[in-house]
Amino acid sequence: MPGITREEVAHLARLSRLELKSEELDHFAEQLNDIVDAVARVSEIAAEDVPPTSHPLPLTNVMRADEVRPSLSPDEVLAAAPAAEEQRFRVPQILGED
């Protein structure tokens, strides 16, 4: 597979509206080629009998099932709040809106 040229990097920079210096074009072309080579090496190693994964270890859902349990009533909770208004917590205004 041919490498990424500095002209291709310049084209991508124009599309991204990035202004790159001449030495940056060469530097990024080299870095992008290294990335493409690394991905190609991984593709060579990947066996067809190994399924693609997003994580090296299996993940399981650690959340518990929802269960109704005894809790405080709204009046008890609001009684412990620094300020309450219309059955809600009253908090300082932060957006400057009415």
Side-chain angles (χ1 to χ4, degrees), residues 6-78:
R6 73 186 313 270
E7 289 76 23
E8 290 171 318
V9 174
H11 178 70
L12 289 172
R14 277 191 303 280
L15 292 175
S16 304
R17 300 182 193 268
L18 296 173
E19 186 176 336
L20 298 178
K21 298 175 186 166
S22 180
E23 59 271 6
E24 290 176 313
L25 293 174
D26 293 328
H27 180 73
F28 290 137
E30 183 180 331
Q31 286 185 333
L32 288 170
N33 279 320
D34 290 344
I35 292 169
V36 169
D37 290 343
V39 171
R41 281 194 304 271
V42 169
S43 297
E44 291 172 4
I45 295 170
E48 290 185 22
D49 60 332
V50 177
T53 60
S54 62
H55 198 275
L57 302 173
L59 298 176
T60 57
N61 187 353
V62 295
M63 296 172 55
R64 64 171 171 77
D66 287 338
E67 297 174 7
V68 177
R69 295 199 254 174
S71 60
L72 299 173
S73 70
D75 291 332
E76 292 172 309
V77 172
L78 291 172

